[in-house]
């Protein structure tokens, strides 16, 4: 394989591959201007959000298409995109009008306008992406011989992998923690790459007929993206570190075998590699199809484009002006502004970050704080923050994901807020004795649940101690979260089965074919240009991923079986089975909407039922059930990034695997040091605030779901058995919305209603609230509806660059603030007003007298 990853039969091809686009002649260009000025319908530019450049390319191709070709393509487009909320409804209507008009095929000269519109639509899809957000940042050309897997890319990429893995692991147990994301590596690697191409000599060697040089030429966007992908896979560490912590430390399970490096590295490699095995099998469902947009990846590509693109077209924008600022300069301006601004709400004037101005009127008013509070309330506030970081609470921001996603989340959260209020104000399940929006478990005296009073010295439930102490109680917000999490899992399966049957069948057919031969170019299943361009490169066969899956399972089985975990290795297979059921449905939802449904509640629930009384077994079930899916989707997202940038698949595969293995060894070595080298770690006496707040929560969850178990909480005799109504509720909601959309096709807004997103919003609470969602609605509407529909060229050029600049500015600013100021805060009103009254200490609606308890007494539960 060559250093560019091109198939051998392409080695003699032209240096630039421009599949999907046609160089326009002067005659064609003139013809376009006549068509555009005189007869091109308004919907082509307005509804389809097509820029002049996109339109020129599509028009040149449309002139060469026959009516039969257009009909065949448009039929496939309708099958794929009829229920796609990202695809313009107006275009769907015109397609149905075209296909349903037999006269258009019998007398085409009488329907020239409609036919030409469909030709443009078909040409746009075959020469580019059907989505304006993708066209805005993804190039539909490819240089087959642009270097990607170079010596300098590997050195820089692995350097960032080591640094990020070490820092994130070392400071993960600190309060507050320090986290370095891949966007920081993407930013800093650019000047390093440019320095390399300027100062390194062109020294190299030839291996298997391919020359490898220290300086193969200008630092390319493919090298830059390969470095970014290496950094991305190194940010998270190993989830099994949480299990090792609670196993090893004497304050928890005190299982000393967990301190062995061999055990730690086996389970870490297992969980970090297992996602690749599944990701490779999902490519035909989540990577190749054009409807899998992966909105969150577009900001990463926008930053890459800003650094490397030399194109700088003048675009019309707001205020009647034309804008010519290059994307790179725009990024630097926006990055600098956010870097400076973040100091204000984060450290200098924190009231702007949690702008709970309504509670300042009467800080001790319980009802007012419960409804409008930012920290401890439901967050009803028209503008509750000036901190962009707050809007990134779930890893997305309003510029990154479509408006319909933000709107559905908002509707769901508002609807469920009334459920939370009804539960709390009615004192259902004794919630009035607890804060309204807490995510902590509580006992029957209104104090945080002390798990040590319900277990023995080995971490096993002591029935007598448990009955003498208290059952577990949850706050109103937390109860609503669990009910809607129970609802979102069946809702996702039903939604995907009803709305994406065609795509699922297409994916399965191509998966079966993929076991026998690589993805073919020009197949009818993959219409867009990006698949045809990527078909020029040698694909990674399924069996490579399958071998990784086997290695990962083997490492996990050895680690679990040979080190006295009292857990069956079959827990790996149980977790994998759950992931296999859900990974494609939740992957389709994330690829279209930008929102990921996490399986943590389902994994804890099922694991607690299967392995009741064994917290370690439940933790491993959760790890293999949840993290496998999380990593699979993360790796699939990286594969889509590579797909968009035209990185050779085998280069991407090697970069992901090598960086993952290296970062796993680094983070595990740091973990081993933390366990044995930091005195009093995870206690109040720990140096440098290494108090492990997240691990204390993890241990509590282990006891709740593993030792006490879901049967005692949600079972037939559990105090929260009513929440099980969420399971049929979710399936019923998806079915009801699907039926409404079919019965009322004239109601176009129904097409944008998404049951999974609504339930995702319903499960917003504890600790989040409406304050994290409301500002996103206004910003998303301004960007995705107002600006995009009026100034598509301006929006295409700057929207995702702005998103990348803001997130990167915050990340770099946070690191500087942390090491420069630490926990120092200015002592003045602007930093103290956020912690007054019920915003400081969460208030409850009802109160107990000394010695009183609520709920059933000893022996009654």
């Amino acid at each position: 394989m060559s250093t560019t990853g091109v198939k051998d039969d392409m080695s003699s091809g032209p240096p630039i591959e421009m599949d999907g686009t046609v160089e326009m002649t002067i005659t064609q260009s003139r013809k376009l201007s006549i068509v555009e000025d005189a007869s091109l319908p308004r919907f082509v530019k307005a509804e389809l959000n097509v820029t002049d450049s996109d339109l020129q390319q599509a028009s040149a191709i449309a002139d060469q298409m026959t009516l039969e070709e257009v009909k065949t393509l448009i039929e496939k487009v309708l099958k794929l995109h009829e229920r796609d909320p990202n695809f313009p409804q107006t275009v769907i209507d015109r397609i149905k009008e075209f296909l349903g008009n037999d006269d258009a095929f019998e007398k085409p000269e009488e329907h020239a306008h409609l036919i030409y519109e469909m030709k443009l639509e078909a040409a746009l899809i075959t020469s580019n992406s059907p989505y304006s957000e993708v066209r805005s940042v993804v190039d539909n050309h490819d240089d087959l011989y642009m270097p990607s897997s170079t010596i300098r890319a590997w050195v820089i990429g692995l350097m960032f992998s080591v640094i990020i893995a070490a820092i994130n692991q070392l400071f993960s147990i600190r309060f507050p923690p320090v986290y370095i994301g891949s966007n920081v590596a993407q930013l800093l690697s650019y000047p390093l790459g440019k320095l390399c191409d300027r100062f390194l000599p062109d020294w190299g060697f030839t291996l298997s007929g391919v020359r490898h040089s220290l300086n193969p030429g200008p630092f390319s966007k493919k090298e830059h993206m390969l470095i970014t992908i290496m950094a991305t896979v190194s940010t998270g560490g190993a989830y099994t570190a949480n299990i090792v912590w609670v196993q090893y430390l004497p304050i928890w399970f005190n299982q000393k075998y967990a301190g062995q490096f061999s055990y730690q590295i086996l389970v870490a490699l297992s969980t970090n590699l297992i996602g690749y095995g599944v990701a490779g099998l999902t490519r035909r469902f989540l990577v190749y199809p054009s409807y899998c947009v992966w909105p969150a990846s577009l900001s990463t590509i926008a930053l890459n484009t800003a650094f490397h693109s030399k194109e700088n077209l003048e675009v019309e924008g707001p205020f009647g002006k034309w804008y010519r600022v290059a994307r790179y300069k725009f990024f630097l301006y926006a990055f600098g502004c956010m870097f400076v601004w973040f100091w204000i709400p984060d450290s200098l004037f924190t009231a702007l970050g949690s702008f709970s101005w309504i509670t300042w009127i009467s800080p001790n008013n319980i009802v007012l704080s419960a409804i409008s509070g930012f920290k401890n309330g439901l967050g009803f506030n028209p503008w509750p923050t000036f901190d962009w970081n707050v809007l990134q609470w779930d890893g997305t921001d309003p510029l990154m994901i479509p408006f319909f996603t933000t709107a559905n989340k908002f509707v769901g959260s508002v609807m469920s807020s009334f459920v939370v209020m009804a539960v709390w104000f009615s004192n259902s399940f004794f919630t009035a004795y607890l804060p309204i929006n807490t995510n902590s478990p509580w006992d029957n005296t209104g104090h945080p649940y002390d798990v040590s009073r319900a277990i023995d010295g080995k971490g096993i439930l002591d029935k007598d101690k448990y009955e003498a102490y208290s059952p577990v109680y949850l706050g109103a917000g937390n109860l609503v979260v669990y009910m809607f999490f129970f609802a979102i899992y069946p809702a996702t399966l039903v939604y995907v089965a009803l709305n994406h049957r065609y795509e699922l069948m297409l994916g399965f057919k191509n998966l079966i074919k993929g076991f026998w031969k690589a993805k073919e170019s020009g197949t009818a299943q993959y219409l867009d240009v990006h698949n045809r361009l990527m078909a020029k490169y040698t694909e990674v066969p399924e069996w490579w991923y399958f071998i990784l899956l086997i290695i990962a399972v083997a490492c996990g089985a050895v680690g679990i079986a040979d080190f006295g975990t009292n857990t069956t290795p079959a827990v790996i297979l149980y977790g994998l089975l759950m992931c296999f059921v859900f990974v494609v449905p939740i992957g389709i939802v994330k690829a279209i909407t930008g929102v990921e449904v996490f399986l943590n509640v389902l994994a804890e629930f099922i694991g607690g039922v299967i392995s009741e009384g064994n917290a370690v077994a439940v933790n491993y079930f959760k790890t293999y059930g949840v993290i496998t899916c999380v990593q699979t989707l993360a790796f699939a997202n990286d594969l889509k990034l590579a797909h968009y940038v035209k990185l050779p698949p085998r280069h991407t595969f090697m970069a992901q695997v090598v960086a993952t293995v290296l970062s796993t060894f680094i983070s595990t070595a740091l973990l081993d040091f933390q366990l044995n080298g930091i005195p009093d770690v995870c206690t109040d006496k720990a140096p440098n605030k290494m108090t492990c707040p997240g691990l204390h929560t993890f241990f509590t969850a282990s006891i709740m779901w593993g030792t006490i178990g879901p049967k005692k909480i949600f079972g037939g005799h559990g105090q929260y058995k009513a929440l099980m109504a969420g399971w049929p509720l979710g399936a019923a909601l998806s079915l009801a919305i699907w039926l409404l959309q079919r019965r009322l096709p004239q109601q176009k807004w129904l097409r944008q209603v998404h049951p999974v997103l609504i339930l995702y919003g319903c499960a917003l609470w504890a600790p989040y609230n409406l304050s994290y969602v409301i500002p996103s609605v206004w910003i998303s509407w301004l960007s995705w509806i107002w600006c995009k529909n009026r100034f598509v060229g301006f929006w295409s050029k700057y929207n995702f660059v702005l998103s990348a600049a803001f997130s990167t500015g915050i990340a770099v600013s946070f690191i500087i603030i942390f090491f420069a100021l630490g926990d120092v805060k200015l002592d003045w009103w602007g930093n103290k007003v956020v912690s007054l009254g019920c915003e400081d200490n969460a208030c409850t609606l009802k109160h107990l007298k000394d010695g009183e308890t609520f709920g059933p007494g000893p022996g009654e539960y």
Side-chain angles (χ1 to χ4, degrees):
M1 187 179 71
S2 69
T3 55
T4 58
V6 184
K7 290 180 180 177
D8 293 337
D9 60 359
M10 296 299 300
S11 59
S12 60
I16 304 289
E17 173 63 41
M18 299 182 67
D19 189 5
T21 62
V22 175
E23 293 297 321
M24 295 173 51
T25 64
I26 296 176
T27 303
Q28 289 173 323
S29 181
R30 289 174 179 168
K31 181 178 179 180
L32 172 62
S33 63
I34 295 172
V35 173
E36 184 176 5
D37 293 339
S39 59
L40 192 62
R42 182 182 178 186
F43 95 97
V44 174
K45 292 190 70 174
E47 298 297 338
L48 206 57
N49 291 303
V50 180
T51 64
D52 291 334
S53 176
D54 297 333
L55 192 56
Q56 287 175 357
Q57 293 181 2
S59 180
I61 296 174
D63 292 337
Q64 304 174 14
M65 301 182 74
T66 67
L67 185 57
E68 286 302 317
E69 289 174 341
V70 171
K71 181 182 179 183
T72 301
L73 281 170
I74 289 299
E75 287 174 341
K76 292 184 172 113
V77 169
L78 185 62
K79 286 182 179 180
L80 279 171
H81 301 290
E82 184 176 8
R83 300 188 182 280
D84 182 355
N86 286 315
F87 202 85
Q89 177 63 47
T90 307
V91 180
I92 293 294
D93 293 339
R94 297 290 284 177
I95 288 175
K96 290 181 177 179
E97 178 186 346
F98 170 70
L99 294 176
N101 188 350
D102 294 333
D103 202 38
F105 302 98
E106 296 173 0
K107 302 176 181 178
E109 66 280 356
E110 297 180 5
H111 302 275
H113 260 312
L114 179 61
I115 291 173
Y116 193 72
E117 292 166 13
M118 292 300 102
K119 281 188 175 184
L120 283 174
E121 173 62 23
L124 189 66
I125 289 175
T126 54
S127 67
N128 211 320
S129 169
Y131 305 99
S132 58
E133 53 266 37
V134 176
R135 295 194 300 270
S136 67
V137 295
V138 179
D139 193 358
N140 61 340
H141 304 76
D142 181 33
D143 182 347
L144 290 172
Y145 296 94
M146 179 182 291
S148 56
S149 182
T150 62
I151 295 174
R152 67 189 177 200
W154 277 95
V155 171
I156 297 173
L158 294 180
M159 178 187 72
F160 276 109
S161 295
V162 170
I163 293 173
I164 290 175
I167 292 177
N168 286 354
Q169 177 61 44
L170 184 62
F171 290 99
S172 63
I173 60 174
R174 189 187 183 278
F175 180 77
V178 176
Y179 176 81
I180 298 179
S182 60
N183 53 356
V184 176
Q186 187 179 14
L187 176 67
L188 298 180
S189 61
Y190 178 71
L192 287 177
K194 296 300 289 183
L195 286 172
C196 288
D197 82 42
R198 182 171 182 178
F199 294 109
L200 287 181
D202 186 11
W203 295 347
F205 59 92
T206 301
L207 182 65
S208 300
V210 178
R211 188 170 188 272
H212 302 271
S213 172
L214 291 177
N215 192 349
F219 183 59
S220 73
K221 64 180 181 180
K222 293 189 179 184
E223 292 176 282
H224 198 182
M225 188 56 70
L226 196 74
I227 293 168
T228 303
I229 289 174
M230 288 191 218
T232 300
V233 301
S234 307
T235 56
Y239 188 80
T240 50
N242 297 304
I243 301 177
V244 171
W245 277 108
V246 298
Q247 283 182 300
Y248 181 74
L249 291 187
I251 60 173
W252 291 318
F253 293 137
N254 196 28
Q255 297 172 341
K256 294 304 179 183
Y257 68 83
Q260 300 178 59
F261 183 81
S262 55
Y263 167 70
Q264 298 166 10
I265 195 63
L266 280 171
V267 295
L269 285 173
S270 175
T271 54
N272 278 2
L273 290 176
I274 201 167
Y276 288 113
V278 184
L281 302 178
T282 63
R283 288 175 296 174
R284 286 165 175 79
F285 300 94
L286 306 177
V287 178
Y288 300 153
S290 62
Y291 68 84
C292 292
V293 175
W294 292 91
S297 68
L298 299 181
S299 292
T300 303
I301 299 173
L303 181 54
N304 191 270
T305 302
F307 283 133
H308 297 276
S309 177
K310 297 180 180 179
E311 182 183 63
N312 184 27
L313 300 177
E314 190 175 37
V315 292
E316 183 183 6
F319 311 114
K321 295 182 179 181
W322 288 77
Y323 296 81
R324 194 173 175 79
V325 179
R327 290 181 178 182
Y328 177 64
K329 288 186 177 179
F330 181 78
F331 168 81
L332 292 179
Y333 295 151
F335 169 84
C337 290
M338 183 54 70
F339 175 85
V340 173
W341 171 254
F342 184 67
W343 287 70
I344 298 175
D346 185 73
S347 300
L348 304 179
F349 192 175
T350 56
L352 294 180
S354 51
F355 193 57
S356 187
W357 58 273
I358 299 176
T359 65
W360 303 346
I361 300 171
S362 180
N364 294 306
N365 187 310
I366 296 174
V367 174
L368 181 66
S369 294
I371 300 301
S372 63
F374 183 98
K375 290 185 177 180
N376 297 317
L378 301 184
F380 275 92
N381 185 340
W383 196 269
T385 185
F386 291 90
D387 184 356
W388 186 260
N389 195 41
V390 170
L391 308 186
Q392 300 181 119
W393 64 277
D394 64 347
T396 63
D397 67 57
L399 299 177
M400 181 189 298
I401 57 177
F403 175 72
F404 82 89
T405 297
T406 302
N408 275 277
K409 289 196 297 183
F410 172 71
V411 169
S413 59
V414 171
M415 290 169 52
S416 63
S417 69
F418 293 101
V419 180
V420 176
M421 285 188 278
V423 170
W424 197 63
F425 284 107
S426 66
N427 193 29
S428 298
F429 308 107
F430 308 104
T431 53
Y433 293 99
L434 308 174
I436 189 172
N437 198 35
T438 174
N439 65 340
S440 299
W442 303 82
D443 64 20
N444 55 13
T445 65
H447 290 89
Y449 199 85
D450 184 358
V451 294
S452 65
R453 296 178 59 181
I455 58 177
D456 60 21
K458 297 181 180 180
I460 304 300
L461 180 70
D462 187 315
K463 184 178 179 181
D464 293 334
K465 291 176 66 175
Y466 171 70
E467 291 183 352
Y469 175 39
S470 171
V472 175
Y473 290 95
L474 304 175
N478 215 7
L479 289 178
V480 171
V481 166
Y482 277 112
M483 183 177 75
F484 286 113
F485 259 116
F486 292 155
I488 201 170
Y489 300 127
T492 301
L493 296 179
V494 173
Y495 169 80
V496 171
L498 293 175
N499 292 278
H500 297 283
R501 299 188 303 277
Y502 176 77
E503 296 93 318
L504 288 174
M505 293 304 299
L506 199 62
F508 277 117
K509 288 179 182 178
N510 287 301
L511 178 62
I512 294 172
K513 292 179 182 178
F515 276 104
W516 303 104
K517 54 185 176 179
K519 177 170 69 86
E520 298 176 352
S521 63
T523 57
Q525 288 86 353
Y526 304 112
L527 302 176
D528 72 320
V529 64
H530 303 296
N531 278 288
R532 296 199 305 277
L533 291 173
M534 287 300 290
K536 308 300 182 184
Y537 298 102
T538 307
E539 186 55 273
V540 178
E542 260 72 13
W543 64 267
W544 285 24
Y545 290 102
F546 192 66
I547 287 176
L548 270 183
L549 181 62
I550 293 174
I551 293 173
V553 171
C555 287
V558 172
I560 291 174
D562 287 1
F563 286 90
T565 61
N566 196 31
T567 301
T568 172
V571 73
I572 302 175
L573 302 180
Y574 295 150
L576 276 175
L577 178 61
M578 187 179 75
C579 181
F580 281 137
V581 171
F582 280 94
V583 66
V584 170
I586 65 177
I588 288 176
V589 170
K590 183 175 182 179
I592 293 175
T593 69
V595 164
E596 182 173 349
V597 176
F598 292 99
L599 300 178
N600 54 313
V601 172
L602 180 65
E604 289 170 335
F605 187 88
I606 297 177
V609 171
I610 294 176
S611 304
E612 185 175 13
N614 189 338
V616 174
V618 173
N619 284 337
Y620 271 112
F621 183 92
K622 180 170 67 172
T623 297
Y624 284 100
V626 177
I627 298 304
T628 301
C629 272
V630 170
Q631 290 187 341
T632 295
L633 297 185
F635 298 150
N637 182 58
D638 290 342
L639 291 175
K640 190 69 175 186
L641 279 173
H643 188 81
Y644 279 146
V645 183
K646 315 302 178 296
L647 269 176
R650 296 193 176 191
H651 293 178
T652 305
F653 177 85
M654 293 304 298
Q656 285 181 311
V657 174
V658 172
T660 298
V661 172
L662 176 62
S663 62
T664 300
F665 272 93
I666 295 297
S667 60
T668 304
L670 262 294
L671 168 65
D672 196 65
F673 161 75
Q674 290 171 308
L675 289 170
N676 301 287
I678 300 178
D680 301 314
V681 66
C682 295
T683 69
D684 293 336
K685 299 178 181 179
N688 301 314
K689 298 185 178 180
M690 300 293 185
T691 55
C692 316
L695 292 172
H696 285 277
T697 302
F698 184 84
F699 174 72
T700 300
S702 302
I703 298 302
M704 275 189 59
W705 293 100
T707 303
I708 297 175
K711 290 182 180 178
K712 292 182 174 63
I713 301 174
F714 301 105
H717 300 288
Q719 66 268 38
Y720 299 129
K721 60 184 178 183
L723 301 185
M724 299 299 286
W727 298 98
L729 172 66
L733 180 64
S734 285
L735 180 60
I737 291 176
W738 181 76
L739 290 173
L740 280 174
Q741 290 170 337
R742 289 177 65 88
R743 298 276 180 92
L744 302 172
Q746 69 278 10
Q747 300 296 326
K748 307 303 182 185
W749 62 273
L750 274 175
R751 187 167 174 264
Q752 302 294 310
V753 176
H754 200 296
V756 179
L757 296 180
I758 291 175
L759 292 172
Y760 182 90
C762 289
L764 163 80
W765 312 99
Y768 303 109
N769 57 37
L770 284 168
S771 291
Y772 292 79
V773 176
I774 291 175
S776 295
V777 178
W778 323 134
I779 296 171
S780 181
W781 181 87
L782 185 67
S783 170
W784 285 81
I785 303 299
W786 185 83
C787 185
K788 183 180 179 183
N789 290 339
R790 288 167 174 78
F791 311 105
V792 63
F794 176 86
W795 182 89
S796 298
K797 187 174 183 179
Y798 296 123
N799 180 74
F800 291 105
V801 176
L802 184 63
S803 172
F806 280 179
S807 61
T808 308
I810 288 174
V812 175
S813 184
F814 173 80
I815 295 171
I816 301 299
I817 291 172
F818 175 83
F819 288 106
L821 299 181
D823 297 318
V824 176
K825 302 288 183 183
L826 293 179
D827 186 17
W828 73 293
W829 174 87
N831 287 345
K832 292 190 293 186
V833 70
V834 298
S835 299
L836 297 177
C838 296
E839 282 289 86
D840 183 25
N841 294 309
C843 298
T844 62
L845 194 62
K846 291 182 175 293
H847 305 277
L848 294 170
K849 296 179 181 179
D850 291 340
E852 286 187 332
T853 61
F854 57 82
E860 297 177 0
Y861 55 89

